[in-house]
């Protein structure tokens, strides 16, 4: 540590936490002010499986955390800052949240599915972690989302589950509605709302959003078909053949 001009600086501190071993690269306190404000730079490993209350052999690959923030060293002081987590490839664990999503589609679509390495950004403010938009790409499925995690436990997430149409069978959504969501590659995207905690998540399909998406996608499909029909009629009007060669 070093003390100069009323600033106390700690470097290269290591701390073992419940979710990984962290290294405080630099922590500087301004002792000329009361209460002393501070700046913080830290990095280290992050075990997302522990965060999700999962202890099985499968699970997320190693996570690498980088964070920079500032705060006030007082009883009411709060930490604010931004960081990123780089997540190595692995398997989506059979934790309560993935199992809950599997229950909605009535078969295993997430739990124990291999996924590609990814990176997630986040911000910390007002004792909450704001998770920036992310995407997790697995075998035959994609999970995208964003949301807020309260440091006291409650969470509020907005997720979008995408998979081939034949893998999407949701009891509360009619087949016709899911058919209307099918895109050009044959996939369907369903928005989900998540509350509760990681240990006991509450999941629900965002039915109004599904209906809006179906209307929007249906309108775009009609527009594409109308454009194709208009182009064909124009070619015929100009005397062109099926290959589009004009006369």
């Amino acid at each position: 540590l070093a003390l100069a001009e009323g600033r106390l600086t700690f470097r290269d501190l290591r701390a073992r936490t419940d979710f990984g071993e962290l290294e405080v690269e630099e922590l500087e306190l301004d002792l000329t002010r009361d209460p002393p404000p501070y700046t913080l730079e830290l990095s280290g490993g992050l075990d997302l499986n522990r965060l999700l209350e999962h202890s099985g052999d499968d699970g997320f690959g190693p996570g690498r955390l980088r964070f920079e923030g500032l705060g006030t060293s007082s009883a009411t002081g709060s930490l604010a800052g931004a960081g990123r987590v780089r997540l190595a490839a692995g398997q989506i664990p059979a934790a309560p949240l993935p199992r809950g999503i599997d229950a909605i589609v009535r078969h295993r679509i997430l739990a124990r599915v291999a996924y590609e390495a990814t990176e997630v950004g986040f911000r910390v403010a007002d004792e909450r972690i704001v998770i920036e938009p992310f995407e997790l790409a697995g075998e035959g499925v994609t999970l995208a989302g964003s949301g807020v995690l309260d440091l006291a436990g409650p969470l509020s997430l907005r997720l979008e589950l995408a998979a081939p149409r034949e893998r999407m069978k949701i009891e509360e959504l009619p087949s016709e509605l899911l058919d209307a969501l099918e895109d050009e590659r044959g996939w369907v995207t369903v928005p989900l709302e998540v509350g509760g905690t990681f240990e006991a998540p509450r999941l629900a399909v965002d039915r109004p959003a599904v209906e809006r998406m179906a209307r929007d996608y249906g309108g775009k499909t009609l527009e594409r078909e109308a454009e194709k029909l208009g182009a064909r009629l124009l070619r015929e009007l100009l005397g062109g053949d099926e290959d589009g060669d004009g006369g």
Side-chain angles (χ1 to χ4, degrees):
L1 59 87
L3 177 62
E5 299 180 354
R7 296 180 180 273
L8 182 62
T9 304
F10 298 85
R11 291 188 176 90
D12 301 326
L13 300 176
R14 295 185 180 275
R16 187 178 299 276
T17 74
D18 291 339
F19 307 115
E21 184 171 303
L22 301 179
E23 178 180 350
V24 178
E25 298 176 2
E26 182 174 290
L27 172 62
E28 183 178 274
L29 292 91
D30 184 356
L31 302 180
T32 65
R33 298 167 62 184
D34 186 24
Y38 65 87
T39 58
L40 171 69
E41 295 181 20
L42 63 83
S43 62
L46 181 64
D47 188 344
L48 290 184
N49 300 303
R50 293 286 300 274
L51 181 64
L52 292 173
E53 299 293 323
H54 178 69
S55 59
D57 295 333
D58 61 320
F60 286 117
R64 187 70 186 174
L65 170 70
R66 174 76 186 179
F67 177 78
E68 296 183 5
L70 52 86
T72 303
S73 52
S74 66
T76 59
S78 61
L79 175 66
R84 303 195 71 81
V85 175
R86 293 181 180 178
L87 188 61
Q91 280 189 329
I92 298 174
L97 181 55
R99 290 203 312 268
I101 295 176
D102 287 354
I104 288 178
V105 298
R106 295 189 290 178
H107 71 279
R108 185 169 64 85
I109 197 171
L110 278 182
R112 300 189 178 91
V113 170
Y115 71 88
E116 301 172 2
T118 189
E119 187 169 313
V120 181
F122 67 93
R123 293 176 287 111
V124 176
D126 300 324
E127 299 187 351
R128 301 189 307 168
I129 299 175
V130 180
I131 303 171
E132 297 176 350
F134 68 90
E135 181 175 283
L136 193 65
E139 295 179 352
V141 66
T142 298
L143 185 67
S146 60
V148 177
L149 170 63
D150 193 298
L151 294 180
L155 54 87
S156 175
L157 301 178
R158 166 82 176 187
L159 303 177
E160 290 190 347
L161 179 71
R165 170 64 185 91
E166 61 270 15
R167 302 189 67 195
M168 287 290 204
K169 297 179 181 179
I170 301 175
E171 184 174 357
E172 61 186 279
L173 297 180
S175 297
E176 296 79 5
L177 186 55
L178 288 173
D179 291 340
L181 292 175
E182 187 173 347
D183 61 21
E184 294 178 344
R185 61 175 179 166
W187 281 42
V188 168
T189 299
V190 175
L192 304 171
E193 295 179 332
V194 183
T197 65
F198 283 124
E199 298 89 341
R202 297 193 306 270
L203 296 98
V205 175
D206 188 344
R207 179 67 179 263
V210 169
E211 294 174 349
R212 287 195 301 270
M213 292 168 61
R215 287 195 299 269
D216 292 343
Y217 188 76
K220 292 177 182 178
T221 300
L222 289 176
E223 289 177 3
R224 289 194 297 267
E225 293 302 320
E227 289 174 358
K228 293 178 183 178
L229 178 60
R232 182 174 63 82
L233 292 175
L234 182 59
R235 288 197 301 269
E236 292 177 356
L237 181 63
L238 296 176
D241 56 23
E242 292 183 356
D243 295 327
D245 296 326

